[in-house]
Amino acid sequence: MLRKSFFIFALLLMAIFPVCGQEKGVFWKISGNGLPSSSYLFGTIHLICEQDFAMSGQVIEKLAESKALVLEIDMDDPALRMALMSNIYNEDGQKITDYLSEEEYQEIKSFLKERTGMDMDMLKTMRPMVLMSLIYPNLLECDTRAFENELMALAKSEDIEIVGLESVEDQLSLFDLIPLEEQYRSFYTYADNLEKGKEEFRKLIASYREEDISALLDLVSESPEYRDYKDVLLDQRNQNWIDPMESLMKSGSMFFAVGAGHLAGDTGLIQLLKREGYSVERLYL
């Protein structure tokens, strides 16, 4: 009898306080709290194999009805390319060889030459995040698509404005908070154990297809480049986005598209918006 009572009590607790790991859904409607019309929040995965890519008709429909497509940064900004080009290399000339042993560096050099055809000796002062971007295609080993690119193409076809929640300088400055040694170590770890990286990507894509945003948050939070800096790279950015999101939504229907890792958890956008008084309702794809 006692065991049965405890079981019923546990079920009640689960109903009242939803278990974080059960949070699912990559597409959400934001309404209430005085908004003139509903807005939408879509969690993306920045890079995915073409065979795994799918754009729901409901997503296309709601984007077409929106006043603007709001990405993490305005990827349609003509100044974006120049900003990125000016941030490819370490500002003070630090080199990867300052942080890796000669043996480790030679491993990286051979790996990069074999996988990309690039000579690491010419890239010694390149920022770790840029080096990481060079090996991402090797983690997926497939033709890739990017949700942001597809959404921008749809927005342009409907003459919908594209804006960003933060500037590219804001986004790049986050990496300055992480010691270069740790960033280069993370890059070396990925390159040195590519099979592990591939497995992590497979799990990431599988979780995304299942719309398991809690699992996505766990995977992102435990990845080498995020593990010790989740508060800076995810939590604080989520909080920083709330004010501009509110301001934009007051002017009409907005379609927000950000990395799906930003949605779940107590400090994710869904819970933050609810705390501000909005109704956030999952839309099933």
Side-chain angles (χ1 to χ4, degrees):
M1 181 65 181
L2 182 62
R3 180 178 296 178
K4 183 178 180 181
S5 298
F6 178 79
F7 180 69
I8 294 172
F9 178 68
L11 286 177
L12 286 170
L13 280 179
M14 289 172 69
I16 299 169
F17 303 106
V19 178
C20 189
Q22 293 178 333
E23 198 168 13
K24 289 195 174 186
V26 297
F27 195 34
W28 300 77
K29 181 173 77 172
I30 308 165
S31 60
N33 205 19
L35 292 181
S37 55
S38 297
S39 287
Y40 302 92
L41 176 61
F42 180 51
T44 68
I45 186 167
H46 298 315
L47 208 61
I48 191 169
C49 289
E50 189 161 9
Q51 64 264 28
D52 294 315
F53 177 86
M55 187 77 79
S56 164
Q58 190 169 196
V59 168
I60 296 171
E61 176 189 333
K62 296 305 181 185
L63 173 58
E65 295 173 1
S66 299
K67 183 178 178 180
L69 168 63
V70 188
L71 304 172
E72 294 181 23
I73 58 174
D74 181 359
M75 296 174 64
D76 195 43
D77 185 348
L80 177 63
R81 180 176 174 81
M82 185 173 293
L84 290 173
M85 291 298 292
S86 64
N87 281 277
I88 285 179
Y89 300 99
N90 293 319
E91 188 175 354
D92 297 322
Q94 300 97 324
K95 302 181 180 65
I96 188 172
T97 48
D98 297 334
Y99 305 99
L100 299 183
S101 68
E102 179 61 26
E103 182 180 353
E104 290 170 334
Y105 174 71
Q106 291 303 325
E107 288 178 31
I108 287 291
K109 182 178 177 180
S110 298
F111 170 84
L112 208 66
K113 185 70 175 178
E114 177 186 341
R115 296 284 178 162
T116 69
M118 297 182 180
D119 184 357
M120 191 68 233
D121 286 343
M122 306 295 291
L123 310 173
K124 284 184 179 180
T125 61
M126 187 171 278
R127 296 179 72 163
M129 62 178 180
V130 182
L131 291 173
M132 281 292 294
S133 71
L134 298 178
I135 66 171
Y136 278 144
N138 289 279
L139 295 175
L140 288 171
E141 294 185 321
C142 59
D143 292 327
T144 60
R145 301 275 288 274
F147 275 98
E148 287 79 6
N149 289 343
E150 303 299 326
L151 290 168
M152 284 196 299
L154 288 168
K156 289 179 180 179
S157 70
E158 297 287 343
D159 200 25
I160 294 171
E161 183 183 9
I162 300 171
V163 297
L165 289 169
E166 62 190 9
S167 69
V168 65
E169 288 81 11
D170 290 335
Q171 198 166 92
L172 292 171
S173 68
L174 293 167
F175 291 93
D176 294 333
L177 302 174
I178 306 175
L180 269 178
E181 182 174 4
E182 292 188 30
Q183 293 187 55
Y184 278 122
R185 278 280 148 205
S186 176
F187 170 63
Y188 174 77
T189 299
Y190 264 117
D192 190 51
N193 193 348
L194 200 62
E195 287 307 314
K196 183 180 179 182
K198 289 177 183 177
E199 179 60 26
E200 288 177 356
F201 255 86
R202 284 192 288 268
K203 288 179 181 178
L204 198 72
I205 292 172
S207 296
Y208 184 77
R209 294 184 66 183
E210 293 168 8
E211 297 190 55
D212 191 342
I213 54 176
S214 286
L216 279 169
L217 176 60
D218 290 341
L219 286 167
V220 171
S221 299
E222 287 304 310
S223 63
E225 68 268 39
Y226 277 86
R227 187 181 300 122
D228 298 323
Y229 297 94
K230 175 180 173 291
D231 58 332
V232 173
L233 298 177
L234 286 178
D235 301 344
Q236 190 57 56
R237 290 174 72 206
N238 292 343
Q239 188 63 63
N240 291 345
W241 291 346
I242 295 299
D243 282 348
M245 287 178 75
E246 288 191 287
S247 179
L248 286 163
M249 289 190 293
K250 287 175 183 176
S251 67
S253 181
M254 296 290 146
F255 190 102
F256 299 100
V258 301
H262 289 279
L263 302 188
D266 193 51
T267 55
L269 290 176
I270 294 168
Q271 290 303 320
L272 291 177
L273 287 166
K274 286 181 177 180
R275 286 193 201 113
E276 293 298 320
Y278 298 99
S279 171
V280 188
E281 172 191 351
R282 180 184 178 185
L283 298 178
Y284 289 82
L285 302 180

